[in-house]
Amino acid sequence: MRILLVEDEAEMAAALASALKRYDMVVDHVATLAEAEEAIAADVHGAVLLDRQLPDGDGLALIPILRARAYGVPIIVLTARGELTERIEGLDSGADDYLAKPFAVEELLARLRAVLRRPSGLQPDIVKAGRLAFDFGHREASVDGRPLELPRRELLVLETLVRRLGRTVLRSALEEAVYSFDDAVQSNALDTHVSRLRRKLADVDAAVEIHGIRGVGYLLRKVP
Ligand code: CA
């Protein structure tokens, strides 16, 4: 899952980014409305965390731009303005949730899980294939109920493939899911993650396989 964090306070942004990374999220951080508009044009984010008081305006101004594209990405507004009227304004403008600073990072993560669970994406909480189950709410993979421990990028690859189970996922879409704008991506890095993941799935006999289509992408399917 890739998150867009729109926050101009450097310390706050760094703390949030590191918490989200611990939760296996890929974080793209921007500090202004203008940068945020550019970032959302790429359409690669699973959720947006949006500060209101930004150097070039009110963060809420971004919401109609997002919604006008029928872009159903969950948005959580983060702000120091915790007054009731401000809260209502945030929700009325189309945000999915509203969190007043200061807040505990655990609460933010819980709210994030909640908005990601909502049925807007028509995505069930848990997808099963073969003996593999992927829980999107907790972002965990398991095989016959046993947790499958995976490094962050392998988990992100698996999550993206499971979301489109049985369908080809383009290399570019996988790279977008796994790397932030700031990461330098080596051309064969994705294949390395996929081959490690493939081996681990085979080792635990998950009864799914990652099928590669040369130069195009990958798909996850049940072992026939
Ligand atoms: Ca601010």
Side-chain angles (χ1 to χ4, degrees):
M1 175 71 60
R2 201 160 148 180
I3 305 285
L4 179 65
L5 171 62
V6 188
E7 168 65 78
D8 61 319
E9 289 150 59
E11 237 174 79
M12 178 79 174
L16 287 178
S18 84
L20 292 167
K21 282 177 190 162
R22 280 200 302 278
Y23 189 60
D24 292 325
M25 303 271 183
V26 175
V27 179
D28 289 312
H29 170 230
V30 297
T32 64
L33 273 178
E35 289 170 345
E37 261 189 70
E38 224 171 281
I40 60 176
D43 195 6
V44 294
H45 299 103
V48 178
L49 304 178
L50 183 61
D51 183 34
R52 279 196 67 174
Q53 288 159 302
L54 295 164
D56 51 350
D58 187 337
L60 293 187
L62 195 66
I63 298 177
I65 300 171
L66 277 164
R67 297 305 186 220
R69 300 182 190 170
Y71 192 25
V73 65
I75 302 168
I76 299 180
V77 173
L78 311 174
T79 179
R81 303 176 179 184
E83 298 295 321
L84 181 64
T85 49
E86 304 283 352
R87 231 175 249 249
I88 291 167
E89 218 175 273
L91 294 170
D92 275 350
S93 67
D96 295 272
D97 206 348
Y98 195 102
L99 208 48
K101 295 174 189 171
F103 52 81
V105 166
E106 288 71 21
E107 183 174 6
L108 171 63
L109 292 175
R111 301 275 187 114
L112 200 49
R113 283 195 291 274
V115 296
L116 292 172
R117 270 200 301 270
R118 283 180 197 160
S120 60
L122 301 173
Q123 179 80 50
D125 273 5
I126 298 176
V127 169
K128 292 180 180 171
R131 296 166 58 207
L132 172 78
F134 197 98
D135 179 336
F136 289 97
H138 293 94
R139 311 195 57 246
E140 286 165 356
S142 60
V143 173
D144 282 345
R146 288 192 184 171
L148 180 63
E149 300 293 343
L150 296 171
R152 192 164 79 98
R153 296 205 204 274
E154 289 170 39
L155 183 75
L156 289 162
V157 168
L158 184 61
E159 179 180 39
T160 309
L161 290 172
V162 171
R163 265 188 207 287
R164 295 177 217 176
L165 186 66
R167 286 175 287 163
T168 305
V169 183
L170 298 178
R171 291 185 64 88
S172 57
L174 282 166
E175 282 169 352
E176 281 169 359
V178 173
Y179 299 102
S180 73
F181 294 134
D182 298 333
D183 289 328
V185 185
Q186 286 175 329
S187 62
N188 61 350
L190 178 66
D191 303 297
T192 309
H193 298 314
V194 169
S195 67
R196 287 189 188 138
L197 184 57
R198 201 179 249 157
R199 196 163 54 233
K200 285 173 192 171
L201 290 170
D203 283 351
V204 295
D205 197 15
V208 287
E209 63 186 11
I210 301 174
H211 176 64
I213 301 151
R214 188 181 285 275
V216 177
Y218 291 98
L219 73 87
L220 183 77
R221 61 185 179 195
K222 278 199 278 186
V223 174

